[in-house]
Amino acid sequence: MYLIAYSFNHYIKDLYLISYHHNSLMSKHTDAADVLLERRGCAGVITLNRPKLLNALSLGMIRQIYPQLKKWEQDPETFLIIIKGAGGKAFCAGGDIKVISEAIKTKEKLTQDFFREEYMMNSAIGSCQKPYVALIDGITMGGGVGVSVHGKFRVATEKSLFAMPETGIGLFPDVGGGYFLPRLQGKLGYLLALTGFRLKGRDVYRAGIATHFVDSTKLSMLEEDLIALKSPSEENIAGILETYHAESKIDIDKPFILEEHMDKINRCFSANTVEQIIENLRQDGSPFALEQLKVINKMSPTSLKITLRQLKEGSSKTLQEVLTMEYRLSQACMEGHDFHEGVRAVLIDKDQNPKWKPANLAEVTDEDLNRYFKSLGSNDLKF
């Protein structure tokens, strides 16, 4: 099977597809129209409504979604919650990374508030007592994964594009990545986390990230059928999703893009250290392994080590425990060098040539890592 081999620059540019409009993002005020919250029929419907910014999440949007989610969860007339993105290109391409980076330089509290409130929302989705249906049509990365993957139902389409590319900007796959990634088949989640490997279309379903696959042209009909249900049970909702899933024939005969590589992935990524994973890839020597090696070697060494430990620890934690750990990591990353350097290289100067510090894995010590995972005491994320 032919796997697209990207040059790293092309790869990173593709992953960070958001075209940042500096003035609109720096504004503290979030237009209420950035997220639409409606009761339709039996459902509460959330529409992420910033199509020009690929529906990137802002703090203002989070502050509208979270309380509404809690209200609908308690409302006896609301039987399910649907979340979707406007514009047809993206479900949600992530969070407002550039704004966060700039807020740190001006010593604003945004970095604490943004991650704290985003992770609280992720947790609320994971524990939501009402069926939660995410229509992940189009680009779904970073924060967009956080508002979809923890829900009961996730519907992919042929336009879905999933990635967690954070190690390329000096961050780590957050929003509960430490919970869901190590629970994917074999060591697939470790590959996705460390390399930012992109999954498209039906592969998002085959990987276990989506629960259903539906033709994008049928999504509005699917939504109408869900909304028209009268006092539905979870089984009723699942039944409609199953019907649409069964009707879709797009790429049905194609194998999972990573199927032929899963033995390699499981073997190479089962190591206890990033250094050993790199050595395993080198020893494997196949075109696929060498492509992943090339990508990993461009990533932040600190981010790689944080991410491997995050997934290993997260594999036996609850979602809330993982989010508490990730909040600690987020705050440490905000104070470190690599996140700001990654944002500079990828989103500001766009030279795609970050200068990581430390520049190699050997210089990232266990002592350094322990500092990232250290409790924040009274500032820890609490549920």
Side-chain angles (χ1 to χ4, degrees), residues 6-12 15-16 165-171 194-196 274 278 281-282 290-304 338 341-342 345-346 351-361:
Y6 292 97
S7 74
F8 182 70
N9 288 0
H10 186 191
Y11 175 87
I12 279 289
L15 289 179
Y16 290 93
E166 288 82 1
T167 56
I169 54 157
L171 210 52
L194 294 169
T195 68
V274 179
I278 284 173
L281 290 167
R282 189 177 288 119
L290 295 177
E291 185 61 33
Q292 306 323 307
L293 182 63
K294 198 163 81 180
V295 172
I296 282 182
N297 281 333
K298 299 280 187 183
M299 301 308 195
S300 155
T302 303
S303 288
L304 290 170
D338 281 6
E341 174 58 11
V346 174
D351 57 30
Q352 315 301 327
N353 189 27
K355 300 283 186 277
W356 306 123
K357 283 184 195 169
N360 59 63
L361 290 163

Side-chain angles (χ1 to χ4, degrees), residues 62-73:
I62 292 164
R63 284 179 171 169
Q64 291 177 72
I65 295 166
Y66 178 74
Q68 187 61 67
L69 193 61
K70 289 304 210 182
K71 273 187 203 145
W72 281 334
E73 192 176 17

Side-chain angles (χ1 to χ4, degrees), residues 35-304:
V35 58
L36 309 176
L37 302 161
E38 316 163 79
R39 255 299 302 279
R40 294 183 56 210
C42 68
V45 182
I46 302 165
T47 307
L48 307 174
N49 191 37
R50 303 171 91 191
K52 285 184 179 161
L53 294 170
L54 303 184
N55 301 323
L57 278 178
S58 67
L59 182 57
M61 291 163 75
I62 292 164
R63 284 179 171 169
Q64 291 177 72
I65 295 166
Y66 178 74
Q68 187 61 67
L69 193 61
K70 289 304 210 182
K71 273 187 203 145
W72 281 334
E73 192 176 17
Q74 298 305 318
D75 175 21
E77 300 300 306
T78 303
F79 289 86
L80 75 150
I81 295 161
I82 297 170
I83 185 166
K84 59 182 181 172
K89 194 167 179 188
F91 167 68
C92 171
D96 276 352
I97 298 167
K98 200 165 155 188
V99 169
I100 293 164
S101 178
E102 282 163 353
I104 297 160
K105 290 171 197 162
T106 55
K107 301 281 189 281
E108 291 173 57
K109 202 166 149 274
L110 175 69
T111 53
Q112 292 156 43
D113 294 346
F114 182 88
F115 289 103
R116 185 182 296 277
E117 295 180 42
E118 182 181 28
Y119 296 177
M120 292 291 285
M121 176 177 66
N122 300 150
S123 172
I125 291 165
S127 63
C128 188
Q129 296 304 299
K130 299 283 169 77
Y132 184 95
V133 182
L135 305 179
I136 51 174
D137 184 39
I139 300 157
T140 304
M141 298 185 187
V145 176
V147 291
S148 56
V149 80
H150 305 300
K152 179 78 182 173
F153 301 111
R154 291 93 61 190
V155 182
T157 75
E158 74 281 4
K159 286 158 53 183
S160 298
L161 172 61
F162 166 96
M164 293 295 274
E166 288 82 1
T167 56
I169 54 157
L171 210 52
F172 59 95
D174 66 333
V175 296
Y179 180 79
F180 83 88
L181 287 164
R183 286 167 171 79
L184 297 177
Q185 57 189 283
K187 295 294 175 182
L188 174 61
Y190 289 77
L191 168 81
L192 298 176
L194 294 169
T195 68
F197 191 94
R198 307 157 48 147
L199 294 170
K200 295 178 182 178
R202 197 177 279 269
D203 286 334
V204 178
Y205 164 73
R206 291 198 177 104
I209 290 150
T211 56
H212 297 82
F213 182 86
V214 173
D215 297 7
S216 62
T217 54
K218 302 273 179 69
L219 277 186
S220 55
M221 281 166 57
L222 167 64
E223 189 182 337
E224 291 308 317
D225 282 354
L226 289 172
I227 285 164
L229 289 168
K230 299 282 179 263
S231 310
S233 66
E234 193 172 291
E235 289 70 30
N236 299 146
I237 293 159
I240 286 188
L241 291 169
E242 291 294 338
T243 301
Y244 275 84
H245 175 84
E247 285 172 2
S248 176
K249 300 292 179 266
I250 295 173
D251 291 339
I252 198 155
D253 296 325
K254 278 191 183 171
F256 178 40
I257 194 169
L258 293 171
E259 189 64 46
E260 63 177 297
H261 304 294
M262 278 310 298
D263 286 348
K264 271 188 206 81
I265 291 165
N266 293 341
R267 192 171 60 249
C268 292
F269 286 85
S270 62
N272 286 322
T273 66
V274 179
E275 289 90 340
Q276 189 58 53
I277 289 172
I278 284 173
E279 184 52 33
N280 291 350
L281 290 167
R282 189 177 288 119
Q283 284 183 7
D284 180 279
S286 65
F288 175 80
L290 295 177
E291 185 61 33
Q292 306 323 307
L293 182 63
K294 198 163 81 180
V295 172
I296 282 182
N297 281 333
K298 299 280 187 183
M299 301 308 195
S300 155
T302 303
S303 288
L304 290 170

